Amino acid sequence: MALDESTTSILGYSLYDELTNTSIQPTDDPASSDLIDFLLKAVGQDVCAATRNTQGLYRFVSRARDICKAIKIMIDRVESVVDSNPLEALEAFQKYTQMIPSLEDELLRVASLVPGEAIDLSKPLVPTTPTTVTELSKPVDDWRENRRVIRDALRQLYSPPFVADGVPPSANMITVFTKHDDLAWLSHVTHCISTHSLAQGEDELPTSIRRLAATYEDILTSLRTQVFLSEKTLVLIIRSGMTMFTVIGMIDTTKDRELKRRLKQPEDTWGRAQRLLGQMLDRVKTPDPEVQIPEANGSTDILQDNWMDFEAYLLETSHVNLVPKVIELWSYVSNMRRHYQAQEAALVSLCIDLERGLLDDATSRDVYQLEE
């Protein structure tokens, strides 16, 4: 979040200056707004580098900039009328003293997450090679949480105590911004799948990957025409794309021949994923049931449940790690008769050495034999 003069010079005096210029000429900036000015410049620098949730972030910073200007105008007004019209000065003072800490809080909320939105779109979706599908949860959770915080912060800047200085947004304004950001991210996920090296060729696996990518393209086309985007459905679609990209990465990089074979299963893995994705496409083409059925009525989303079952299958398929089980053997050594303890300790040490030796080139069958 620290300011870097070289970075701001590279950004140029266009978008960055437009987002962060809060000066009210010819009035000097008041000391009470110093923290806001600094936060705006720091957040603005990261926002200019953001490649995800861009519209929401731009709108947030530009709204914060306008509020900062309004605060400075009120401070200047208090100083100019405090003697001639003390009631007007008191009213303005009460407004800006409420607005300053609230604006600082919202800027601090966004400042902590916005550096993570500078995703390098030229690099793979998952920068490190995943070893299990469970590693998928962090990028999905980060994306969803950042999206929520940005949306909530933007709404807050159009709520008290800030509504007095401008017109509240229309009902669909924030929805339009987030729709742009969500579809841009889904488009990137789809691009990562369709351009992966395993999607090239005419074998069964490349054909399955390309078919999956084509379905995501159809979903994108349908979503672009939708006015209402279901939060639950959209998150599920993006989650599914990030999951399948992780599976592709595991197939491409794992040295476990048995794991590779299972993840390449045309029916259990790719056929099942394709059917679920087809159901997601049907959902976005038809009125979403969430419009008619409030979430509060306790209804379950069968499609979401089915996808989570599929992820559970992937987790069970991909998770092979016996280190904890081998280490647990040490607890049995102390329970052995004393003159057998040395042999037991030697056996446990041998198992650990064998397990370590399998890490570089292990198959699931090898590990299961070691466990036995």
Side-chain angles (χ1 to χ4, degrees), residues 172 175 179 222-234 283-284 286-292 295:
N172 294 325
T175 301
K179 176 180 178 180
S222 297
L223 287 174
R224 290 189 179 104
T225 64
Q226 299 293 323
V227 176
F228 172 81
L229 295 185
S230 161
E231 170 87 8
K232 187 183 297 184
T233 300
L234 186 59
R283 172 168 291 189
V284 299
T286 57
D288 197 290
E290 291 179 21
V291 179
Q292 293 87 17
E295 295 182 14

PDB file of all heavy atoms in Angstrom, residues 172 175 179 222-234 283-284 286-292 295:
ATOM      1  N   ASN A 172     -30.022  -0.414  -9.896  1.00  0.00           N
ATOM      2  CA  ASN A 172     -29.220  -1.334 -10.693  1.00  0.00           C
ATOM      3  C   ASN A 172     -27.785  -0.880 -10.896  1.00  0.00           C
ATOM      4  O   ASN A 172     -27.013  -1.567 -11.566  1.00  0.00           O
ATOM      5  CB  ASN A 172     -29.874  -1.518 -12.075  1.00  0.00           C
ATOM      6  CG  ASN A 172     -31.221  -2.204 -11.993  1.00  0.00           C
ATOM      7  OD1 ASN A 172     -31.424  -3.066 -11.154  1.00  0.00           O
ATOM      8  ND2 ASN A 172     -32.135  -1.818 -12.858  1.00  0.00           N
ATOM      9  N   THR A 175     -25.191  -3.208  -9.434  1.00  0.00           N
ATOM     10  CA  THR A 175     -25.329  -4.484 -10.133  1.00  0.00           C
ATOM     11  C   THR A 175     -24.626  -4.448 -11.481  1.00  0.00           C
ATOM     12  O   THR A 175     -23.982  -5.417 -11.887  1.00  0.00           O
ATOM     13  CB  THR A 175     -26.809  -4.833 -10.321  1.00  0.00           C
ATOM     14  OG1 THR A 175     -27.441  -4.896  -9.045  1.00  0.00           O
ATOM     15  CG2 THR A 175     -26.966  -6.157 -11.038  1.00  0.00           C
ATOM     16  N   LYS A 179     -21.576  -6.873 -12.433  1.00  0.00           N
ATOM     17  CA  LYS A 179     -21.787  -7.779 -13.570  1.00  0.00           C
ATOM     18  C   LYS A 179     -20.593  -7.728 -14.507  1.00  0.00           C
ATOM     19  O   LYS A 179     -20.093  -8.768 -14.956  1.00  0.00           O
ATOM     20  CB  LYS A 179     -23.069  -7.407 -14.315  1.00  0.00           C
ATOM     21  CG  LYS A 179     -23.298  -8.251 -15.564  1.00  0.00           C
ATOM     22  CD  LYS A 179     -24.574  -7.857 -16.296  1.00  0.00           C
ATOM     23  CE  LYS A 179     -24.749  -8.687 -17.559  1.00  0.00           C
ATOM     24  NZ  LYS A 179     -25.983  -8.342 -18.297  1.00  0.00           N
ATOM     25  N   SER A 222     -24.820 -16.346 -22.577  1.00  0.00           N
ATOM     26  CA  SER A 222     -26.140 -16.220 -21.961  1.00  0.00           C
ATOM     27  C   SER A 222     -26.131 -15.207 -20.821  1.00  0.00           C
ATOM     28  O   SER A 222     -27.070 -14.408 -20.677  1.00  0.00           O
ATOM     29  CB  SER A 222     -26.608 -17.585 -21.452  1.00  0.00           C
ATOM     30  OG  SER A 222     -26.763 -18.503 -22.506  1.00  0.00           O
ATOM     31  N   LEU A 223     -25.078 -15.219 -20.014  1.00  0.00           N
ATOM     32  CA  LEU A 223     -25.011 -14.304 -18.884  1.00  0.00           C
ATOM     33  C   LEU A 223     -24.955 -12.849 -19.321  1.00  0.00           C
ATOM     34  O   LEU A 223     -25.461 -11.960 -18.640  1.00  0.00           O
ATOM     35  CB  LEU A 223     -23.798 -14.635 -18.012  1.00  0.00           C
ATOM     36  CG  LEU A 223     -23.880 -15.898 -17.150  1.00  0.00           C
ATOM     37  CD1 LEU A 223     -22.546 -16.167 -16.455  1.00  0.00           C
ATOM     38  CD2 LEU A 223     -24.992 -15.781 -16.109  1.00  0.00           C
ATOM     39  N   ARG A 224     -24.313 -12.589 -20.452  1.00  0.00           N
ATOM     40  CA  ARG A 224     -24.195 -11.204 -20.918  1.00  0.00           C
ATOM     41  C   ARG A 224     -25.544 -10.597 -21.270  1.00  0.00           C
ATOM     42  O   ARG A 224     -25.689  -9.375 -21.302  1.00  0.00           O
ATOM     43  CB  ARG A 224     -23.253 -11.138 -22.118  1.00  0.00           C
ATOM     44  CG  ARG A 224     -21.791 -11.394 -21.761  1.00  0.00           C
ATOM     45  CD  ARG A 224     -20.864 -11.111 -22.930  1.00  0.00           C
ATOM     46  NE  ARG A 224     -19.475 -11.338 -22.566  1.00  0.00           N
ATOM     47  CZ  ARG A 224     -18.759 -12.397 -22.934  1.00  0.00           C
ATOM     48  NH1 ARG A 224     -19.322 -13.326 -23.708  1.00  0.00           N
ATOM     49  NH2 ARG A 224     -17.502 -12.531 -22.560  1.00  0.00           N
ATOM     50  N   THR A 225     -26.531 -11.429 -21.548  1.00  0.00           N
ATOM     51  CA  THR A 225     -27.864 -10.925 -21.899  1.00  0.00           C
ATOM     52  C   THR A 225     -28.794 -10.850 -20.691  1.00  0.00           C
ATOM     53  O   THR A 225     -29.911 -10.368 -20.810  1.00  0.00           O
ATOM     54  CB  THR A 225     -28.509 -11.823 -22.967  1.00  0.00           C
ATOM     55  OG1 THR A 225     -28.723 -13.136 -22.417  1.00  0.00           O
ATOM     56  CG2 THR A 225     -27.609 -11.935 -24.197  1.00  0.00           C
ATOM     57  N   GLN A 226     -28.323 -11.346 -19.534  1.00  0.00           N
ATOM     58  CA  GLN A 226     -29.165 -11.387 -18.348  1.00  0.00           C
ATOM     59  C   GLN A 226     -29.080 -10.065 -17.585  1.00  0.00           C
ATOM     60  O   GLN A 226     -28.000  -9.532 -17.369  1.00  0.00           O
ATOM     61  CB  GLN A 226     -28.728 -12.523 -17.426  1.00  0.00           C
ATOM     62  CG  GLN A 226     -28.813 -13.916 -18.041  1.00  0.00           C
ATOM     63  CD  GLN A 226     -30.233 -14.354 -18.307  1.00  0.00           C
ATOM     64  OE1 GLN A 226     -31.133 -14.065 -17.528  1.00  0.00           O
ATOM     65  NE2 GLN A 226     -30.444 -15.050 -19.401  1.00  0.00           N
ATOM     66  N   VAL A 227     -30.228  -9.560 -17.181  1.00  0.00           N
ATOM     67  CA  VAL A 227     -30.259  -8.373 -16.334  1.00  0.00           C
ATOM     68  C   VAL A 227     -29.974  -8.768 -14.893  1.00  0.00           C
ATOM     69  O   VAL A 227     -29.219  -8.100 -14.182  1.00  0.00           O
ATOM     70  CB  VAL A 227     -31.626  -7.665 -16.431  1.00  0.00           C
ATOM     71  CG1 VAL A 227     -31.686  -6.485 -15.465  1.00  0.00           C
ATOM     72  CG2 VAL A 227     -31.871  -7.205 -17.858  1.00  0.00           C
ATOM     73  N   PHE A 228     -30.571  -9.871 -14.477  1.00  0.00           N
ATOM     74  CA  PHE A 228     -30.396 -10.356 -13.105  1.00  0.00           C
ATOM     75  C   PHE A 228     -29.397 -11.498 -13.108  1.00  0.00           C
ATOM     76  O   PHE A 228     -29.536 -12.468 -13.852  1.00  0.00           O
ATOM     77  CB  PHE A 228     -31.729 -10.828 -12.532  1.00  0.00           C
ATOM     78  CG  PHE A 228     -31.596 -11.525 -11.193  1.00  0.00           C
ATOM     79  CD1 PHE A 228     -31.471 -10.788 -10.023  1.00  0.00           C
ATOM     80  CD2 PHE A 228     -31.575 -12.907 -11.114  1.00  0.00           C
ATOM     81  CE1 PHE A 228     -31.340 -11.416  -8.795  1.00  0.00           C
ATOM     82  CE2 PHE A 228     -31.447 -13.546  -9.892  1.00  0.00           C
ATOM     83  CZ  PHE A 228     -31.331 -12.800  -8.732  1.00  0.00           C
ATOM     84  N   LEU A 229     -28.374 -11.396 -12.290  1.00  0.00           N
ATOM     85  CA  LEU A 229     -27.404 -12.470 -12.126  1.00  0.00           C
ATOM     86  C   LEU A 229     -27.516 -13.008 -10.704  1.00  0.00           C
ATOM     87  O   LEU A 229     -27.274 -12.277  -9.745  1.00  0.00           O
ATOM     88  CB  LEU A 229     -25.978 -11.977 -12.383  1.00  0.00           C
ATOM     89  CG  LEU A 229     -25.646 -11.503 -13.798  1.00  0.00           C
ATOM     90  CD1 LEU A 229     -24.167 -11.161 -13.903  1.00  0.00           C
ATOM     91  CD2 LEU A 229     -26.017 -12.543 -14.834  1.00  0.00           C
ATOM     92  N   SER A 230     -27.903 -14.262 -10.589  1.00  0.00           N
ATOM     93  CA  SER A 230     -28.009 -14.878  -9.267  1.00  0.00           C
ATOM     94  C   SER A 230     -26.631 -14.987  -8.641  1.00  0.00           C
ATOM     95  O   SER A 230     -25.703 -15.535  -9.232  1.00  0.00           O
ATOM     96  CB  SER A 230     -28.643 -16.260  -9.390  1.00  0.00           C
ATOM     97  OG  SER A 230     -28.360 -17.031  -8.243  1.00  0.00           O
ATOM     98  N   GLU A 231     -26.504 -14.467  -7.427  1.00  0.00           N
ATOM     99  CA  GLU A 231     -25.239 -14.542  -6.696  1.00  0.00           C
ATOM    100  C   GLU A 231     -24.804 -16.002  -6.533  1.00  0.00           C
ATOM    101  O   GLU A 231     -23.658 -16.362  -6.808  1.00  0.00           O
ATOM    102  CB  GLU A 231     -25.412 -13.890  -5.320  1.00  0.00           C
ATOM    103  CG  GLU A 231     -24.263 -14.085  -4.359  1.00  0.00           C
ATOM    104  CD  GLU A 231     -23.183 -13.037  -4.527  1.00  0.00           C
ATOM    105  OE1 GLU A 231     -23.407 -12.087  -5.288  1.00  0.00           O
ATOM    106  OE2 GLU A 231     -22.136 -13.183  -3.893  1.00  0.00           O
ATOM    107  N   LYS A 232     -25.721 -16.843  -6.101  1.00  0.00           N
ATOM    108  CA  LYS A 232     -25.390 -18.236  -5.826  1.00  0.00           C
ATOM    109  C   LYS A 232     -24.980 -18.979  -7.101  1.00  0.00           C
ATOM    110  O   LYS A 232     -23.986 -19.714  -7.119  1.00  0.00           O
ATOM    111  CB  LYS A 232     -26.594 -18.931  -5.181  1.00  0.00           C
ATOM    112  CG  LYS A 232     -26.309 -20.342  -4.692  1.00  0.00           C
ATOM    113  CD  LYS A 232     -27.557 -20.998  -4.137  1.00  0.00           C
ATOM    114  CE  LYS A 232     -28.091 -20.278  -2.930  1.00  0.00           C
ATOM    115  NZ  LYS A 232     -29.262 -20.970  -2.341  1.00  0.00           N
ATOM    116  N   THR A 233     -25.738 -18.779  -8.174  1.00  0.00           N
ATOM    117  CA  THR A 233     -25.437 -19.475  -9.424  1.00  0.00           C
ATOM    118  C   THR A 233     -24.126 -18.998 -10.018  1.00  0.00           C
ATOM    119  O   THR A 233     -23.314 -19.802 -10.490  1.00  0.00           O
ATOM    120  CB  THR A 233     -26.576 -19.259 -10.433  1.00  0.00           C
ATOM    121  OG1 THR A 233     -27.799 -19.765  -9.884  1.00  0.00           O
ATOM    122  CG2 THR A 233     -26.281 -19.965 -11.747  1.00  0.00           C
ATOM    123  N   LEU A 234     -23.890 -17.692 -10.000  1.00  0.00           N
ATOM    124  CA  LEU A 234     -22.670 -17.150 -10.593  1.00  0.00           C
ATOM    125  C   LEU A 234     -21.433 -17.631  -9.842  1.00  0.00           C
ATOM    126  O   LEU A 234     -20.439 -18.035 -10.465  1.00  0.00           O
ATOM    127  CB  LEU A 234     -22.722 -15.622 -10.582  1.00  0.00           C
ATOM    128  CG  LEU A 234     -21.578 -14.911 -11.300  1.00  0.00           C
ATOM    129  CD1 LEU A 234     -21.512 -15.320 -12.765  1.00  0.00           C
ATOM    130  CD2 LEU A 234     -21.739 -13.406 -11.192  1.00  0.00           C
ATOM    131  N   ARG A 283     -29.712 -23.385 -16.373  1.00  0.00           N
ATOM    132  CA  ARG A 283     -30.196 -22.471 -15.337  1.00  0.00           C
ATOM    133  C   ARG A 283     -30.077 -21.011 -15.770  1.00  0.00           C
ATOM    134  O   ARG A 283     -30.991 -20.221 -15.539  1.00  0.00           O
ATOM    135  CB  ARG A 283     -29.439 -22.692 -14.033  1.00  0.00           C
ATOM    136  CG  ARG A 283     -29.755 -21.649 -12.969  1.00  0.00           C
ATOM    137  CD  ARG A 283     -29.248 -22.013 -11.607  1.00  0.00           C
ATOM    138  NE  ARG A 283     -29.973 -23.141 -11.044  1.00  0.00           N
ATOM    139  CZ  ARG A 283     -29.849 -23.550  -9.798  1.00  0.00           C
ATOM    140  NH1 ARG A 283     -29.022 -22.926  -8.973  1.00  0.00           N
ATOM    141  NH2 ARG A 283     -30.541 -24.577  -9.346  1.00  0.00           N
ATOM    142  N   VAL A 284     -28.956 -20.637 -16.389  1.00  0.00           N
ATOM    143  CA  VAL A 284     -28.793 -19.230 -16.755  1.00  0.00           C
ATOM    144  C   VAL A 284     -29.636 -18.867 -17.973  1.00  0.00           C
ATOM    145  O   VAL A 284     -29.884 -17.679 -18.220  1.00  0.00           O
ATOM    146  CB  VAL A 284     -27.313 -18.883 -17.026  1.00  0.00           C
ATOM    147  CG1 VAL A 284     -26.472 -19.120 -15.789  1.00  0.00           C
ATOM    148  CG2 VAL A 284     -26.743 -19.655 -18.212  1.00  0.00           C
ATOM    149  N   THR A 286     -32.771 -19.858 -18.276  1.00  0.00           N
ATOM    150  CA  THR A 286     -34.155 -19.786 -17.815  1.00  0.00           C
ATOM    151  C   THR A 286     -34.231 -18.916 -16.576  1.00  0.00           C
ATOM    152  O   THR A 286     -33.224 -18.651 -15.925  1.00  0.00           O
ATOM    153  CB  THR A 286     -34.677 -21.198 -17.469  1.00  0.00           C
ATOM    154  OG1 THR A 286     -33.811 -21.787 -16.490  1.00  0.00           O
ATOM    155  CG2 THR A 286     -34.691 -22.085 -18.706  1.00  0.00           C
ATOM    156  N   PRO A 287     -35.420 -18.427 -16.221  1.00  0.00           N
ATOM    157  CA  PRO A 287     -35.546 -17.613 -15.004  1.00  0.00           C
ATOM    158  C   PRO A 287     -34.995 -18.351 -13.806  1.00  0.00           C
ATOM    159  O   PRO A 287     -35.310 -19.520 -13.584  1.00  0.00           O
ATOM    160  CB  PRO A 287     -37.063 -17.389 -14.885  1.00  0.00           C
ATOM    161  CG  PRO A 287     -37.567 -17.513 -16.294  1.00  0.00           C
ATOM    162  CD  PRO A 287     -36.684 -18.549 -16.948  1.00  0.00           C
ATOM    163  N   ASP A 288     -34.192 -17.667 -13.016  1.00  0.00           N
ATOM    164  CA  ASP A 288     -33.538 -18.315 -11.880  1.00  0.00           C
ATOM    165  C   ASP A 288     -34.553 -18.587 -10.775  1.00  0.00           C
ATOM    166  O   ASP A 288     -35.345 -17.706 -10.426  1.00  0.00           O
ATOM    167  CB  ASP A 288     -32.423 -17.415 -11.335  1.00  0.00           C
ATOM    168  CG  ASP A 288     -31.469 -18.192 -10.446  1.00  0.00           C
ATOM    169  OD1 ASP A 288     -31.882 -18.582  -9.332  1.00  0.00           O
ATOM    170  OD2 ASP A 288     -30.334 -18.398 -10.868  1.00  0.00           O
ATOM    171  N   PRO A 289     -34.547 -19.808 -10.232  1.00  0.00           N
ATOM    172  CA  PRO A 289     -35.512 -20.109  -9.159  1.00  0.00           C
ATOM    173  C   PRO A 289     -35.354 -19.229  -7.937  1.00  0.00           C
ATOM    174  O   PRO A 289     -36.279 -19.080  -7.158  1.00  0.00           O
ATOM    175  CB  PRO A 289     -35.206 -21.575  -8.825  1.00  0.00           C
ATOM    176  CG  PRO A 289     -33.817 -21.825  -9.343  1.00  0.00           C
ATOM    177  CD  PRO A 289     -33.684 -20.934 -10.547  1.00  0.00           C
ATOM    178  N   GLU A 290     -34.183 -18.611  -7.745  1.00  0.00           N
ATOM    179  CA  GLU A 290     -34.002 -17.755  -6.576  1.00  0.00           C
ATOM    180  C   GLU A 290     -34.875 -16.505  -6.648  1.00  0.00           C
ATOM    181  O   GLU A 290     -35.134 -15.861  -5.649  1.00  0.00           O
ATOM    182  CB  GLU A 290     -32.538 -17.354  -6.446  1.00  0.00           C
ATOM    183  CG  GLU A 290     -31.631 -18.506  -6.059  1.00  0.00           C
ATOM    184  CD  GLU A 290     -30.186 -18.060  -5.969  1.00  0.00           C
ATOM    185  OE1 GLU A 290     -29.945 -16.869  -5.807  1.00  0.00           O
ATOM    186  OE2 GLU A 290     -29.318 -18.920  -6.058  1.00  0.00           O
ATOM    187  N   VAL A 291     -35.314 -16.150  -7.876  1.00  0.00           N
ATOM    188  CA  VAL A 291     -36.167 -14.970  -8.002  1.00  0.00           C
ATOM    189  C   VAL A 291     -37.531 -15.239  -7.371  1.00  0.00           C
ATOM    190  O   VAL A 291     -38.109 -14.392  -6.708  1.00  0.00           O
ATOM    191  CB  VAL A 291     -36.338 -14.596  -9.495  1.00  0.00           C
ATOM    192  CG1 VAL A 291     -37.254 -13.388  -9.633  1.00  0.00           C
ATOM    193  CG2 VAL A 291     -34.989 -14.313 -10.122  1.00  0.00           C
ATOM    194  N   GLN A 292     -38.048 -16.451  -7.604  1.00  0.00           N
ATOM    195  CA  GLN A 292     -39.365 -16.777  -7.074  1.00  0.00           C
ATOM    196  C   GLN A 292     -39.307 -17.385  -5.672  1.00  0.00           C
ATOM    197  O   GLN A 292     -40.253 -17.281  -4.911  1.00  0.00           O
ATOM    198  CB  GLN A 292     -40.077 -17.776  -8.001  1.00  0.00           C
ATOM    199  CG  GLN A 292     -40.447 -17.199  -9.364  1.00  0.00           C
ATOM    200  CD  GLN A 292     -39.319 -17.335 -10.369  1.00  0.00           C
ATOM    201  OE1 GLN A 292     -38.402 -18.113 -10.175  1.00  0.00           O
ATOM    202  NE2 GLN A 292     -39.391 -16.564 -11.437  1.00  0.00           N
ATOM    203  N   GLU A 295     -34.377 -17.401  -0.357  1.00  0.00           N
ATOM    204  CA  GLU A 295     -33.449 -18.317   0.295  1.00  0.00           C
ATOM    205  C   GLU A 295     -33.891 -18.640   1.722  1.00  0.00           C
ATOM    206  O   GLU A 295     -33.554 -19.672   2.264  1.00  0.00           O
ATOM    207  CB  GLU A 295     -32.042 -17.720   0.307  1.00  0.00           C
ATOM    208  CG  GLU A 295     -31.452 -17.566  -1.087  1.00  0.00           C
ATOM    209  CD  GLU A 295     -30.042 -17.024  -1.031  1.00  0.00           C
ATOM    210  OE1 GLU A 295     -29.446 -17.029   0.062  1.00  0.00           O
ATOM    211  OE2 GLU A 295     -29.537 -16.588  -2.071  1.00  0.00           O
TER     212      GLU A 295
END
